[in-house]
Structures are given as C-alpha cells and as structure tokens.
Amino acid sequence: MKPYLSIEKLTQRFPDGNGGELTVFENASFGVEKGEFVVILGHSGCGKSTIMNILAGLADPTSGVVIMDGTQVKGPSLDRGVVFQNYSLLPWLTTLKNVTFGVKARHPEWTKQQVEDHAAKFLAMVGLEGDVIHRKPSQLSGGMRQRVSIARAFANHPKLLLLDEPFGALDALTRGTIQDELLKIWGQMEQTVFMITHDIDEAILLADRILLMTNGPNARVAESVEITIPRPRNRTEIVEHPNYYAIRNHLVQFLGKRSKELAGQPTEVGQTNAPETVRIDLTEPTEDPEDKRPALKAVNS
Amino acid sequence: MGTLSLNQRAALLSVLMLVVGLLIWEAAIPAQKAAEELTEYERLTGAGSAKAGVPPPSQVIAKAWEQLSDPFYDAGPNDKGIGIQIGYSIYRVLTGYFLAALIAIPFGFLIGMSQVAYKAFNPFIQVLRPISPLAWMPLALFIIGDSEASAIFVIFICSIWPMLINTAFGVAGVREDWVNVARTHELGPIKTAFSVILPAAAPTILTGMRISIGIAWLVIVAAEMLVGGTGIGYYVWNEWNNLDLTSVVFSILMIGVVGMLLDAMFGLLQRRVTYAE
C-alpha cells in the first residue's frame, strides 16, 4: 500500500558551471500519509527548498516521480498549496483580496459574497478581523502578513499544504503565536502538511514526523524520526514531556555531527534511499532500550 | 511666520518670487518715447512708429486677459482663439499618443515576457529611439502625403519608445514569487497577465506613459511650426511673423501651463497604481 504522498527516487542535478554536474540529492524516497504533519530538517544547501519546489510543481526533478493520491505530480496545481517564506502576498491588493484571489481561483463558480465570506472566515481563524482585512500588506507587520499567507493557503483546502520556512523571517515571540495558530487551524482541518524549517523546537512542536537530511551535495533523507509526544501540544507543556529532550538531543546530534558524517556519499545506480525510521519513546517499557535508542547513547557519551 | 505650515510658507515665497520677477521684467523694458518728444528729423525718418520690442509683463497680462476671455473665436485661417489652437494641438498629441500606447503596451508586454524577444528587439529599439522625431517628418510627409496625419505620426513615433521600453522593463522585472503565486493557483496565461503581471508592472508602465506625454507635448510645438495651419506651435510662429511678441510670450506661457496639466494628469494616474512593498 503506497502512502498518500509518495516521493520515489527523486534526483536533482544542476550544471556546476565547470562543465560537470552537481548532484544536490539522489534517489530520495519517502512518503507522507494523509492528514500527517511532516517536517523536513537539514542544513542550508541540502536541497530542502528544491524538494519543496518539486512538490509544488514549480520545478522539475532530473529524475524520479512524485505521486499524490494515485496521480503523478506534474506542474503547479491548486491541490498543492504553498506558503512561501517571504509571504508572497500581492502588494497592490488588500488583505481580504489577497485571500479571495486564491478562493476565486479555487471556486470560480461562487458568488462574490460567498468568496468574501469564505476568505473572511479563514482570516478570522488566524486572528485577522475587522478593519485590518482592508489594509494593504505593506501596512501589516511581518507576522500579520504570514498569517494572511497561511489563511490564503488553508482557505483553498489543498490536498497537500507546503510550508517553506514560513516563520524564518519572524521574531521569536511572533513565531510562537503563529505556530499556535497554525496548530489550531491544522487541528480543525485535518490538513496534510509538508514543512521546511531550521528550527528544531518548532519542528518538535508541530510535526508528527521529522525527516532529517544529510548535508549536500549528494544529500539524502537519512532518518525519519517519529515525534512520540501526544497532541494537543502546547509549547510550555511539551518541554516537560519525558520524550522531549530525548528527541531534541537526537535531532541536535544529527544536525551537529551525523549530517556531516553521512554526507557526500554518492549512491549506486538504482539504489533507493529510503529513510531509516527512528522511534524514541521513554514512556513505553521496552526490553532492550539500548538497542532501540542508538542516538541516546551518542548524546550521553 | 511660525504659525504657517511648510506648504503655506513655500506658496508665499513663490508669490513673492513671481511679483519680484515681474517687477524686474517690467522695469527692464525701456518705455517708448512719446511722439511729442521726438525731433522733426526723427519723425521724418520713421522713429515715431511703434518699435517692436520684448513686451513688459503688463502687456502680456492684458493680452492674456483679452485672449482668455474669448478663447474660441474663429475669424478666418490666420486669426483663431488660443483655445482653438491649443485644442488642435491636444487633439494631435492625444491621437498620436494613444495610437502609440495601443501598440507599445501590448508589444512591450510580449517583449518583457520573453528574454529572447527582449534581446532580439533591443538593437532596433536602441537605434530608432535616439532619432529626433522631426527627422521623420520629410519621410512622413512623402509617404503619408498629408500634413495633418504626418504631425500625428511624428507624435506617434516619439511617444512610442519610452512606453515600449518601460513596459518591457516593468514586465521583465515582475517578482518571480508573484508569478509563482499565480502558477500555484492554476491561473492561465491571460489571467496571470491581467491579474498579476499588469498590476505589478503598472507603476513602471505609467512612468513610461508620463515620460511619453511630456515628450509628445515638446515635439508637437516644433511639428506644428513645420506643418502649419493650426495648433499652438503654428500660432507661435505666426505671431512671430506678425512681429507680435506679446502674443508670442503669452503663447509660450500657455504651452507651459498645458504641459504641466498633462503631466499632472498622469502623475495622478501614476499615484493610483503605485503600491508599497
């Protein structure tokens, strides 16, 4: 049984400017289940954004396919909504019009009133109501702009929502608030989400599963770490969960050390680079914890 | 003084400069000697007839009052009101200008969308652009064979370049992110052009249109001096031939005022499409 979103043997190469080729990543394969929140973590240059662009249909891979809900992904589609890091709001439209822009594209048969009501509802879900929705993006703070962008994406009910470092340009406090709002709206919509981030705490708070990428070139998705912290999560409470620091240490260890050690190994032709599943759960008794938690050993040493 | 706003103080200064300037001008013009003061000899040699000279502002103001109180009179081919002359000029400018816009904006759009087209057309544009529009006049007169249409053609050819170049430049410079927004929303090429690229490039396009209308108004005066018949340019030249310098100075001022109004109109339009990022 294939997962809802299946990435199969994805390879991306670019000319390196000296007549040769640069392999960003090779034979990357992984899946995302319906309704799942998957976060991909890795250093800059490992090809996270390239994977995102391929999933969005804005770029084509050198080889490999992406299959969503039984059909191959080709070109951009309303089924795959994107929230860009720089918000990508149209500056000449008001906040409301930026959202209706998306809704109109999704539901061309709706009346103007239906479109506006729908858009206003989703803006309200991210905390934008009243006069604010008639302002231009330039009159909004960065956090508010990203809220608009999130509302625009959710209002379209895409089958897959792609978030490209959505909070990268925001200050820590604003980031926290919007993460909470994202969790809330995600909880209501049962939306499948694929997100890129640099922020480990953000990844643990939001994700069901974190994909870890090794450094580029020749990057690959090395591990798939399950986040064994029950929902609903709350930023102040998850840190007290016994699994929190175990998972966090594993991630820090990977990004700090192992992402480098595992990097730069070209793979053989036809090899499938499926990530190794890692499950860290201190709450359930296991027969041989040392075996199941290799990363913890590394942390303690 | 402290209670006046910045704008009020500037306006006051402007009025002051105007008054001082006019007074200096008035004082600098030597008065004609009255006929009684002339000697017999001077009267016999014709010194008594009025000499042509640069008119003082008081005369220009009197002329302006006379002309502007009845701007649309028509007393034959060589004696029409200033309103009629300006009307002809504006008609020619707008006809040539909008014909140019009709071609330059869609064409600039296409050039801006394709890098190949941009590079392919660039050498032609670069050669044609610096040609003085009046240099086209003989060719236009010969091919078109009609002075009226030739004047319009000259306006057309001079206003097409800034619009073409600015449209292409604006369209080519539309942020990739905005185009991606259109793509991820499955907008077709026509819809993308109108709902994303056009509004994004509008400020640059309007800048080109504003430069063009300014150039067109500069050129129409010279063109009408050549083709004659009607228009503000013809009026200036005709009054020069009549040695009526008061009318010449008055019409120079009118050219300035109309040019300013045209520019202000496009400035207003430009402000409406400008957005802050």
Side-chain angles (χ1 to χ4, degrees):
Chain A
M1 174 71 188
K2 269 191 183 172
Y4 185 66
L5 173 73
S6 170
I7 286 88
E8 296 170 11
K9 292 191 180 178
L10 215 56
T11 302
Q12 184 65 270
R13 291 191 182 88
F14 293 119
D16 65 0
N18 300 322
E21 273 189 331
L22 181 77
T23 304
V24 186
F25 49 82
E26 199 165 33
N27 294 331
S29 301
F30 58 91
V32 176
E33 294 300 337
K34 193 169 185 173
E36 203 178 16
F37 199 127
V38 173
V39 170
I40 192 156
L41 260 178
H43 287 279
S44 310
C46 70
K48 299 186 304 273
S49 293
T50 314
I51 291 187
M52 178 70 78
N53 282 340
I54 292 169
L55 291 181
L58 295 171
D60 289 317
T62 309
S63 69
V65 287
V66 176
I67 293 169
M68 187 173 77
D69 203 10
T71 44
Q72 191 180 338
V73 164
K74 269 227 173 338
S77 153
L78 279 165
D79 284 337
R80 278 163 280 123
V82 191
V83 173
F84 300 93
Q85 180 177 8
N86 52 16
Y87 329 127
S88 288
L89 299 176
L90 304 175
W92 55 89
L93 297 177
T94 62
T95 297
L96 181 67
K97 295 279 182 225
N98 261 290
V99 180
T100 58
F101 177 89
V103 179
K104 262 191 283 188
R106 183 68 163 183
H107 304 283
E109 74 287 354
W110 283 9
T111 63
K112 194 167 177 262
Q113 194 57 42
Q114 271 178 305
V115 169
E116 286 194 358
D117 290 347
H118 188 77
K121 190 178 98 187
F122 278 83
L123 281 167
M125 280 166 91
V126 291
L128 294 175
E129 280 174 289
D131 283 347
V132 180
I133 65 170
H134 298 298
R135 288 201 211 148
K136 298 270 173 73
S138 57
Q139 296 163 299
L140 301 178
S141 65
M144 280 164 137
R145 290 188 210 179
Q146 195 54 291
R147 285 193 176 105
V148 179
S149 186
I150 289 170
R152 179 173 67 186
F154 272 96
N156 272 6
H157 295 282
K159 285 181 178 172
L160 173 66
L161 181 59
L162 300 161
L163 305 174
D164 187 356
E165 291 189 44
F167 311 125
L170 302 178
D171 65 272
L173 288 175
T174 314
R175 197 183 303 171
T177 326
I178 306 186
Q179 283 164 358
D180 289 340
E181 262 152 18
L182 178 65
L183 269 183
K184 205 176 74 192
I185 193 169
W186 175 75
Q188 290 169 23
M189 305 273 302
E190 294 175 358
Q191 180 75 55
T192 312
V193 179
F194 184 81
M195 170 168 155
I196 291 182
T197 184
H198 280 125
D199 184 333
I200 292 177
D201 295 305
E202 176 176 288
I204 299 175
L205 174 68
L206 298 174
D208 291 318
R209 207 146 54 77
I210 296 177
L211 299 174
L212 294 171
M213 276 188 95
T214 64
N215 291 1
N218 298 312
R220 62 195 179 93
V221 182
E223 283 185 11
S224 158
V225 181
E226 280 180 45
I227 306 303
T228 47
I229 300 172
R231 292 184 191 270
R233 297 178 196 153
N234 174 309
R235 82 183 49 261
T236 49
E237 286 164 18
I238 57 165
V239 291
E240 286 161 18
H241 194 276
N243 290 347
Y244 183 80
Y245 280 101
I247 294 170
R248 193 175 192 283
N249 286 341
H250 178 80
L251 300 177
V252 170
Q253 203 66 29
F254 182 92
L255 290 177
K257 237 166 104 187
R258 293 177 48 232
S259 64
K260 251 176 277 164
E261 292 164 9
L262 294 169
Q265 302 160 357
T267 47
E268 287 160 39
V269 180
Q271 183 188 335
T272 304
N273 279 330
E276 182 190 336
T277 303
V278 176
R279 183 182 167 84
I280 301 168
D281 192 352
L282 302 180
T283 56
E284 64 183 29
T286 46
E287 302 83 48
D288 195 353
E290 290 302 308
D291 240 20
K292 293 239 170 173
R293 290 180 271 129
L296 277 177
K297 240 166 72 183
V299 170
N300 294 333
S301 62
Chain B
M1 263 322 232
T3 55
L4 294 177
S5 78
L6 189 79
N7 284 340
Q8 283 170 325
R9 272 183 285 163
L12 208 67
L13 199 60
S14 294
V15 171
L16 196 73
M17 284 194 279
L18 179 69
V19 170
V20 170
L22 289 179
L23 284 176
I24 292 174
W25 177 6
E26 185 83 44
I29 306 295
Q32 303 261 350
K33 277 189 193 171
E36 301 86 62
E37 292 168 18
L38 298 172
T39 61
E40 187 86 11
Y41 176 73
E42 279 174 327
R43 263 197 295 271
L44 281 171
T45 52
S49 56
K51 256 195 222 152
V54 176
S58 52
Q59 271 183 42
V60 177
I61 291 167
K63 183 81 188 176
W65 178 255
E66 176 202 324
Q67 283 284 338
L68 291 177
S69 53
D70 183 17
F72 298 109
Y73 75 89
D74 187 352
N78 272 335
D79 193 8
K80 293 188 204 305
I82 187 82
I84 293 182
Q85 305 288 21
I86 288 178
Y88 273 113
S89 295
I90 288 179
Y91 154 74
R92 288 185 188 123
V93 163
L94 293 186
T95 310
Y97 177 82
F98 281 113
L99 282 174
L102 220 57
I103 291 176
I105 293 172
F107 194 58
F109 225 89
L110 293 178
I111 296 178
M113 299 276 257
S114 150
Q115 279 205 10
V116 178
Y118 195 102
K119 291 196 167 169
F121 281 106
N122 201 36
F124 297 105
I125 295 173
Q126 295 308 331
V127 170
L128 292 173
R129 192 173 57 113
I131 297 172
S132 163
L134 291 175
W136 293 97
M137 189 62 104
L139 199 63
L141 283 169
F142 177 74
I143 294 174
I144 302 171
D146 175 60
S147 65
E148 176 77 30
S150 299
I152 291 174
F153 172 78
V154 166
I155 295 304
F156 167 84
I157 204 79
C158 78
S159 43
I160 199 165
W161 308 115
M163 284 196 268
L164 184 66
I165 291 166
N166 266 46
T167 306
F169 184 74
V171 168
V174 172
R175 288 242 309 259
E176 184 79 28
D177 300 331
W178 299 336
V179 180
N180 280 344
V181 169
R183 289 179 67 197
T184 54
H185 285 92
E186 286 186 35
L187 297 192
I190 302 287
K191 202 117 192 259
T192 305
F194 279 101
S195 64
V196 176
I197 295 174
L198 189 62
T204 322
I205 296 175
L206 251 293
T207 305
M209 292 179 78
R210 197 172 171 185
I211 296 170
S212 278
I213 197 79
I215 293 176
W217 188 247
L218 289 181
V219 168
I220 192 65
V221 175
E224 283 170 347
M225 283 182 178
L226 280 178
V227 298
T230 47
I232 189 76
Y234 166 74
Y235 180 83
V236 174
W237 203 248
N238 196 34
E239 295 304 330
W240 160 236
N241 286 335
N242 293 340
L243 226 53
D244 182 354
L245 285 174
T246 313
S247 290
V248 171
V249 173
F250 164 65
S251 49
I252 288 174
L253 288 175
M254 287 309 292
I255 293 169
V257 170
V258 173
M260 182 187 76
L261 290 178
L262 284 174
D263 185 67
M265 244 165 54
F266 278 85
L268 215 67
L269 264 164
Q270 198 177 18
R271 214 168 314 146
R272 287 194 55 179
V273 299
T274 301
Y275 52 84
E277 272 188 51

